[in-house]
Amino acid sequence: MEDCVGNCNGFQILCESGLLPGALMRNAGLKYVCKPVQVRVEKRCHSLYKACSQGEVLTIPIGHMEGKLFLRRRNIG
């Protein structure tokens, strides 16, 4: 598979179509969540992250109802 980026509904489609492992589940409390979150750049292996430093912490906005990703242990790596 070529590199692709899926955010928001695009990420949901990639999971539900089986192109990415795992499943999206409803958030705890069954509430819509909209807030800024911090993510850390672990690897700079994609051109999207060329401007970032490894270990850099980015603050990005999120807004979703099904934002909990479930993965089996064998798919984490």
Side-chain angles (χ1 to χ4, degrees):
M1 177 177 170
E2 295 290 323
D3 288 345
C4 70
V5 174
N7 54 18
C8 198
N9 288 349
F11 185 77
Q12 185 175 0
I13 290 167
L14 290 171
C15 289
E16 289 178 3
S17 68
L19 293 172
L20 289 177
L24 289 171
M25 298 167 48
R26 297 255 180 200
N27 295 326
L30 302 176
K31 292 183 179 180
Y32 178 77
V33 176
C34 181
K35 65 181 181 179
V37 297
Q38 287 72 43
V39 295
R40 185 176 57 237
V41 178
E42 294 292 336
K43 297 180 182 178
R44 294 178 52 218
C45 58
H46 194 281
S47 61
L48 287 173
Y49 306 108
K50 282 186 179 179
C52 301
S53 302
Q54 187 168 344
E56 182 176 353
V57 176
L58 308 173
T59 300
I60 60 171
I62 62 162
H64 52 72
M65 180 79 164
E66 292 148 343
K68 190 182 341 180
L69 178 64
F70 173 80
L71 289 172
R72 295 193 187 282
R73 189 170 299 279
R74 68 177 178 260
N75 295 118
I76 299 173

